[in-house]
Amino acid sequence: MVRLITHNLLACHAKGCTTNNFPLKLTDVKLALREADFNPDFLRGFLPRVEWDALIQASREIGDTSLPVERPEMLDDDLLRQLHHVLLEIHIDEGSMTCPNCGHVYPISNGIPNMLLAEHEIW
Amino acid sequence: MPSQQYLIVFAQAHEDFRVPELLSIAELYGFPLNIENDIDPSRPFGVLDLEKEEHVRLLARRCILIKSVYELYAKGCTYEDVHRQNRASRHLWEKYIPNTSFKFVVNGYNHSISKARQRQVIEDFSYMGFMGTIDLLNPEVTLGCFEEYPNGHRTVRLEHKGASEFRDVFFGRLLEQGSARPLIQTFDVKKRQYFGNTSMEAEISLLMANQTLASPGKLIYDPFIGTGSMAYTTAHFGAFVFGSDIDGRQMRGKEAQPGIMRAAAQYGVRQRILDLCTFDITRNPWRCGGLFDAIITDPPYGVRAGAKRLGRKKERVADSPLPPQPRTDVQQYVPPTKPYELSALAADLVILARYLLKPGGRLVFFLPTVIDEYKELDLDSVLCDGMQVIANSLQDFGAWGRRLITIRKATSRSYPPPTFDSQPVPPALRDGDAEREGNPSSPIHVPAHRDFREKYFQGFKKPSDAGPS
């Protein structure tokens, strides 16, 4: 749980935290690898939504260097397989995600991130 | 293109959901389906014109409400008519004459047919001259004859009266039994590893999943996932599912391994539950919109579980800002919540869906309603620009019911993230209030789902029912 596809979609949403609030920094992670359905059409469709730099940063934070630093122009089969693995098969079961701007820590426990905000972070 | 007529035999449940389900599955597989007034929801039989036999088979394999599908040979309100048409359909069945094992079934709707009369009905078809053996267990061909009576006689008919008493008689060859219907057993909540008191029944969860057009490679989101009932069925049809809830305990259960993941593993869809997150949709962390092919959800409407959002019941005074205290124990901290009135929640949900859905994406959700108060314009209070209702099916519980609403994002415009400041629709004026305010001619209609919780617990009494006080 907490796959990098999810991480790539979550930004800090505390009050006033609107710039430099993404990507959340991954720390103290406990990882697990679990196989997922390989669906090239899904990946091609989703790719335009991916923030590539954030994906690279996050994958390196947790020790995976399989993807190229530059967003690829063409997706060949090898690259699709690598993208599939990084986005969908690496799970962060424990750890935390920290906002680079305000420093809010979103903890992950048993694979479920707690993205709830405290009262003073809303108003 | 020449088309052939097919008989659909529906399960006798959720009549209002039949046509939307057929249309959704036809759209999912991309074939044309014209249902003008061919299907009367009060009848368990429907006849469809389709270009290809494959199309009716696809319907039978995916529609939860289809019991079986037949190639239609004849339909009429007298046997005379049926036999005449059946003779004219000879080109459809003559290939089975020489050497095909067969079985013949006669069924009645709204009445039962005695064995003796069944035999007589079968013998009346003897002109077809099938020469193959009769095989009741594994026939190559099953011929079905359905007699539909107007309603409710429930009498045993001993004699073959034949004429005019029927509403219709249908005759055809069985193509397939509906193979999606047994999924209701597969997803039975009682046999599930993890469920709660608000889990959605299996049949409805499956019908909802079909309304989302769930299929491999789609990304579907449930923003009030609770115990995950609809996640399992949408994932079963191949979609990736993302879930969130304001209350993490619902998703987790008591064991370390989250309950939703345990139940998903039971159904073999664990890897398609993309992720579960704890957050309030009114304070959500989505980085961008246009992400999902569908949003499927059963919003909490206050009977077994009330809807909550972050905040306090009494708003704080603006000029006394909260001290930004660091949180000491992050896991244990529970922020305050306040109730979320249903009409405001429903309006917010549609605006959120417009932001998060891809163009053409669907929002599928339940809206509870008071049967006597419901008017079609109730939905207007929920809709916003660019969102279009494409199906609205009632599940009737008597005084109240719930409507399964399917809304399509009918625009490719991008919208800004919602602000979640929808105000509840103004509460109902009591009888006489309108006159007192000097506005008797144009009473404002209040949607039946406004303050549903309060109405539910008051037993849906009208103000006039109340005794003198």
Side-chain angles (χ1 to χ4, degrees):
Chain A
M1 303 290 292
V2 187
R3 313 189 204 199
L4 291 188
I5 187 173
T6 307
H7 174 268
N8 203 267
L9 296 174
L10 300 176
C12 181
H13 53 299
K15 182 195 172 192
C17 192
T18 51
T19 52
N20 189 30
N21 57 346
F22 173 85
L24 303 173
K25 189 174 162 50
L26 290 163
T27 46
D28 307 320
V29 294
K30 207 177 96 193
L31 301 178
L33 295 181
R34 298 188 189 101
E35 265 184 50
D37 292 343
F38 176 64
N39 187 326
D41 292 337
F42 172 75
L43 293 167
R44 283 198 197 90
F46 192 76
L47 191 64
R49 287 278 163 218
V50 172
E51 279 284 342
W52 192 264
D53 293 346
L55 181 62
I56 295 303
Q57 186 182 324
S59 61
R60 309 236 151 163
E61 276 166 7
I62 60 172
D64 185 291
T65 55
S66 59
L67 291 176
V69 176
E70 296 295 320
R71 178 191 281 265
E73 307 238 320
M74 289 280 287
L75 283 175
D76 59 23
D77 200 53
D78 279 354
L79 201 52
L80 275 174
R81 294 256 169 209
Q82 280 161 3
L83 188 62
H84 166 73
H85 176 71
V86 173
L87 281 176
L88 293 168
E89 294 189 325
I90 306 175
H91 294 247
I92 302 156
D93 283 345
E94 303 287 333
S96 48
M97 300 189 286
T98 307
C99 173
N101 182 41
C102 72
H104 185 113
V105 178
Y106 297 96
I108 300 167
S109 94
N110 292 314
I112 300 183
N114 184 351
M115 307 299 289
L116 278 175
L117 295 173
E119 201 174 8
H120 70 267
E121 292 164 316
I122 303 178
W123 293 283
Chain B
M1 199 158 181
S3 64
Q4 162 64 29
Q5 288 200 312
Y6 298 94
L7 171 68
I8 314 285
V9 182
F10 290 105
Q12 287 172 53
H14 307 302
E15 298 83 3
D16 222 17
F17 293 66
R18 287 173 184 156
V19 170
E21 185 182 43
L22 292 174
L23 290 171
S24 290
I25 301 312
E27 182 175 334
L28 173 65
Y29 290 110
F31 60 83
L33 178 63
N34 289 317
I35 299 179
E36 280 138 30
N37 295 313
D38 309 353
I39 293 185
D40 172 351
S42 66
R43 301 173 64 178
F45 303 105
V47 175
L48 296 179
D49 272 296
L50 292 165
E51 284 173 7
K52 291 182 184 161
E53 183 181 305
E54 182 61 18
H55 294 163
V56 80
R57 290 183 182 274
L58 288 169
L59 292 173
R61 288 168 200 164
R62 183 66 191 262
C63 290
I64 307 302
L65 295 176
I66 291 185
K67 258 166 77 177
S68 51
V69 295
Y70 286 75
E71 183 180 45
L72 188 72
Y73 293 160
K75 166 183 179 261
C77 42
T78 63
Y79 267 105
E80 203 179 21
D81 215 12
V82 167
H83 289 303
R84 190 176 45 75
Q85 285 183 38
N86 188 41
R87 285 189 163 96
S89 297
R90 187 182 172 92
H91 60 285
L92 294 172
W93 48 260
E94 65 186 352
K95 56 181 171 287
Y96 305 117
I97 292 174
N99 193 21
T100 308
S101 65
F102 68 98
K103 168 171 116 169
F104 212 113
V105 291
V106 181
N107 276 307
Y109 174 67
N110 272 336
H111 73 138
S112 33
I113 307 168
S114 70
K115 283 266 185 291
R117 208 172 87 71
Q118 285 185 27
R119 257 198 315 278
Q120 199 183 341
V121 169
I122 295 170
E123 276 164 21
D124 287 347
F125 283 95
S126 58
Y127 60 86
M128 293 173 77
F130 276 31
M131 286 147 68
T133 52
I134 293 170
D135 183 344
L136 296 181
L137 290 177
N138 287 306
E140 287 165 79
V141 164
T142 299
L143 298 168
C145 184
F146 299 89
E147 295 180 357
E148 184 192 5
Y149 281 73
N151 68 57
H153 296 300
R154 299 203 180 278
T155 47
V156 178
R157 277 157 223 275
L158 296 170
E159 288 171 38
H160 186 319
K161 290 179 184 142
S164 71
E165 240 183 304
F166 309 116
R167 189 156 181 188
D168 264 321
V169 176
F170 302 90
F171 179 66
R173 176 175 66 92
L174 177 69
L175 292 173
E176 283 196 34
Q177 301 285 352
S179 48
R181 199 149 175 81
L183 290 173
I184 297 170
Q185 302 308 317
T186 311
F187 287 97
D188 186 356
V189 175
K190 283 178 283 185
K191 293 184 248 162
R192 193 173 292 166
Q193 290 280 322
Y194 176 71
F195 58 88
N197 61 350
T198 57
S199 292
M200 179 67 73
E201 65 205 83
E203 185 165 11
I204 297 285
S205 302
L206 288 158
L207 288 171
M208 290 177 79
N210 271 349
Q211 284 305 99
T212 67
L213 313 183
S215 60
K218 296 239 175 103
L219 189 54
I220 295 182
Y221 174 38
D222 185 344
F224 300 97
I225 194 166
T227 56
S229 306
M230 285 87 74
Y232 313 126
T233 53
T234 36
H236 171 80
F237 293 125
F240 285 119
V241 181
F242 194 99
S244 72
D245 204 295
I246 192 171
D247 186 353
R249 294 170 303 181
Q250 287 275 318
M251 300 184 285
R252 291 174 191 274
K254 286 179 180 159
E255 294 172 34
Q257 162 101 287
I260 291 185
M261 300 317 283
R262 283 187 279 129
Q266 175 190 356
Y267 298 127
V269 299
R270 193 183 194 285
Q271 51 98 4
R272 288 194 214 122
I273 308 294
L274 216 47
D275 262 307
L276 305 170
C277 273
T278 310
F279 60 77
D280 171 6
I281 60 154
T282 71
R283 303 279 167 185
N284 70 70
W286 295 116
R287 169 174 66 77
C288 59
L291 289 171
F292 300 107
D293 295 286
I295 292 177
I296 181 172
T297 199
D298 180 30
Y301 44 78
V303 176
R304 282 174 294 185
K308 299 276 192 238
R309 59 188 293 183
L310 292 181
R312 285 181 186 269
K313 287 183 189 168
K314 285 185 185 165
E315 292 295 333
R316 290 185 158 272
V317 187
D319 58 8
S320 63
L322 282 160
Q325 292 152 345
R327 284 150 61 161
T328 47
D329 185 350
V330 168
Q331 276 300 311
Q332 294 304 312
Y333 174 78
V334 180
T337 56
K338 61 181 178 183
Y340 202 168
E341 198 280 318
L342 186 67
S343 64
L345 180 154
D348 281 346
L349 178 63
V350 178
I351 300 172
L352 177 74
R354 183 176 64 171
Y355 172 63
L356 289 176
L357 285 174
K358 296 177 186 171
R362 289 179 166 205
L363 167 65
V364 177
F365 72 107
F366 264 114
L367 192 64
T369 188
V370 184
I371 302 276
D372 286 346
E373 295 176 20
Y374 175 79
K375 292 213 172 67
E376 221 150 280
L377 56 104
D378 279 12
L379 281 185
D380 293 352
S381 69
V382 167
L383 284 179
C384 57
D385 183 41
M387 299 297 271
Q388 195 179 57
V389 175
I390 54 172
N392 174 354
S393 306
L394 174 68
Q395 189 183 13
D396 193 336
F397 299 123
W400 70 288
R402 52 183 182 183
R403 290 186 169 270
L404 184 63
I405 312 288
T406 307
I407 291 177
R408 180 194 278 129
K409 179 174 173 180
T411 169
S412 51
R413 258 186 69 190
S414 326
Y415 287 84
T419 51
F420 297 101
D421 50 9
S422 292
Q423 292 304 309
V425 179
L429 297 175
R430 275 193 300 275
D431 284 353
D433 284 7
E435 284 84 2
R436 255 171 266 141
E437 286 173 20
N439 188 17
S441 57
S442 59
I444 305 154
H445 176 68
V446 175
H449 57 272
R450 157 85 211 203
D451 291 324
F452 180 78
R453 181 179 193 280
E454 286 68 26
K455 291 173 186 165
Y456 181 91
F457 285 112
Q458 286 158 17
F460 304 108
K461 287 198 197 83
K462 296 192 183 80
S464 54
D465 294 347
S469 57

